[in-house]
Amino acid sequence: MSTEPAARPPILRIEKLVKKFSERLILDQVDLAVQPGEVVVLLGPSGTGKSTLLRCINGLEEIQGGQVFFENRPVVANTKNVIDVRKHIGMIFQSFNLYPHLTALGNVMLAPMKVLKESRAEVEARARELFRKVRLEHRADAYPGQLSGGEQQRVAIARALAMNPSLLLFDEPTSALDPETVGDVLDVMEDLAREGRTMIVVTHEIGFARHVGDRIVFMDEGRIVEQGPPEVIIDAPVEERTRKFFGSILRE
Amino acid sequence: MQFDDNVAHYWRFFLSGTMTTLWISWLALMLGGAIGAIIAHMRLSRVGWLRAVAIVYTEFFRSIPPLMLFFFCYYGISYALGLNLNPFTSATLALTLTASSLMAEVVRAGIESVGRGQWLAAISAGMTPLQVFRYVIWPQALRVCLPPATGVYISTLKDSSVASVIGYIELTRSGLLIRETTGSSFDVFLIIATIYFVINYGLSLCGGALERRFRIVH
């Protein structure tokens, strides 16, 4: 991909995005383009707008400036068009957000059946396959309340994949997990990256970023400070702020 | 004290009074539930005037004693609008006004109990607002609404006894008429009170069973 960067059009293009909460500036003129198949990891201190940036990508947040294009279609919150865009973007949340009244299988099957209007048999076959992929085939009939955090997050990943999305957004997927279950979730995410899925991941897992990320985007105070391959951004950053951030994290 | 056998001869009358009470309170609960649900969604709307209408409606009708509403719906509407409603329509209207204002708060609390994360997950999956409500929010809200909704039904059923003052022959009114014929106040009131208790305790048990049936596994 790095040999011919302009050969394919980006799947996602963000131009001069500005996001404010009342008067507070959260995102300040953010530009970002993501190529199909690319794994982009957003790193940076807490409260620098990384999660907000993800929510702007699928139109969960209204933006105050700039533009977001997904597969060349503008993403604008509170429009009919954005509902259609979301069918192609899977989102995984820090707090899983599984539907507690449905079984794990029910969670995975709901949107494909109701949003994509696919037949139950078709969706169930795909869902069972996805449970194998996230290594939970024995837990498909459990309710979310009966699953551990790591299991719930893997169900949430299966739920997102069931829509056959062309972009996956991960919003701190392992931050709410017990340390011993973090690895299971990261393994599944690594599998997805190897399959060539396009992913944008907000995380604090530097190891994952280094081994799985194609590109690291370092953000601070609502801006992209610098971006590039992991070995450059994590180990040899140019900017002082980036050096300070990784210096303090990697010393731990 | 001796039970007046005479009273027992009127069992058909007690029975029809009971059926009438069950029917009118059920009708009021259904209408009140539907109107209450609409009012609750108005209250949660982003549109300011819809919220205002909902707040005024809820606060007004739940603050007025049922007796006043029965008088208003029977005599008041006839006096003010020249519209003569029969006792059944007036009583149903009065009960529905109270029940809907109570149900509006029950439904609102149920919807607000569903966490923001549920909305985000459903919206992110490409659901339309109606699909979000239908498949994710309402099923969860319903479970929260069941216990207080049972309470609203019980209180609506009790309020329906006030319909006796506008001449509607439900259970209480039936009892009052039997008392006039037989002169046995204590026996009659004992029977009526027992019937109310059995119905309401039964409702309470049904509510509990429904609650267990729909419980979310945690």
Side-chain angles (χ1 to χ4, degrees), chain A:
Chain A
M1 200 159 303
S2 51
T3 50
E4 39 177 353
R8 296 166 75 182
I11 189 167
L12 177 74
R13 203 167 80 242
I14 299 172
E15 290 171 357
K16 301 211 176 331
L17 183 130
V18 175
K19 171 70 195 173
K20 292 175 187 172
F21 281 131
S22 57
E23 280 310 293
R24 204 158 57 93
L25 196 58
I26 306 296
L27 293 170
D28 185 10
Q29 307 276 333
V30 171
D31 290 300
L32 184 70
V34 176
Q35 301 296 323
E38 204 181 6
V39 177
V40 174
V41 180
L42 301 182
L43 294 175
S46 302
T48 49
K50 305 185 296 294
S51 296
T52 307
L53 180 58
L54 285 193
R55 288 201 299 271
C56 292
I57 291 172
N58 67 353
L60 289 176
E61 299 277 358
E62 276 181 48
I63 59 178
Q64 281 68 48
Q67 278 176 303
V68 177
F69 295 94
F70 173 76
E71 291 178 333
N72 281 323
R73 296 151 75 186
V75 180
V76 183
N78 302 321
T79 57
K80 268 218 150 67
N81 161 58
V82 80
I83 292 176
D84 200 50
V85 164
R86 289 183 188 129
K87 294 174 190 170
H88 306 283
I89 303 180
M91 190 161 199
I92 287 94
F93 304 88
Q94 180 176 351
S95 49
F96 332 130
N97 299 344
L98 293 182
Y99 311 129
H101 60 297
L102 300 176
T103 61
L105 188 65
N107 267 271
V108 174
M109 292 175 61
L110 181 64
M113 281 171 58
K114 304 305 178 188
V115 174
L116 303 180
K117 317 271 188 215
E118 291 181 79
S119 76
R120 172 174 285 276
E122 198 179 343
V123 175
E124 181 162 353
R126 191 161 78 233
R128 298 268 178 204
E129 189 59 41
L130 288 168
F131 273 95
R132 261 191 294 285
K133 188 196 281 275
V134 299
R135 303 177 188 106
L136 282 173
E137 56 269 50
H138 56 296
R139 302 296 271 154
D141 297 318
Y143 283 89
Q146 299 166 320
L147 299 172
S148 75
E151 289 172 330
Q152 288 191 53
Q153 194 60 296
R154 283 181 283 153
V155 173
I157 292 172
R159 177 173 70 175
L161 293 174
M163 295 289 285
N164 292 325
S166 40
L167 173 64
L168 287 168
L169 307 175
F170 291 84
D171 187 4
E172 303 206 24
T174 58
S175 298
L177 297 178
D178 294 330
E180 66 265 29
T181 65
V182 168
D184 297 336
V185 172
L186 292 180
D187 286 348
V188 168
M189 290 169 63
E190 197 173 335
D191 291 347
L192 297 176
R194 284 193 207 296
E195 281 176 14
R197 299 252 180 198
T198 314
M199 300 159 62
I200 304 177
V201 185
V202 172
T203 186
H204 295 291
E205 299 285 338
I206 302 294
F208 174 86
R210 190 198 296 274
H211 294 118
V212 182
D214 294 318
R215 176 159 46 124
I216 306 294
V217 173
F218 177 75
M219 289 182 68
D220 193 20
E221 292 176 348
R223 289 193 197 148
I224 293 178
V225 178
E226 63 183 310
Q227 49 182 308
E231 59 274 17
V232 174
I233 302 300
I234 298 175
D235 300 316
V238 178
E239 297 290 328
E240 179 60 31
R241 265 188 293 176
T242 320
R243 235 175 300 176
K244 256 177 87 181
F245 176 77
F246 288 111
S248 64
I249 282 196
L250 296 174
R251 222 179 298 119
E252 280 172 9

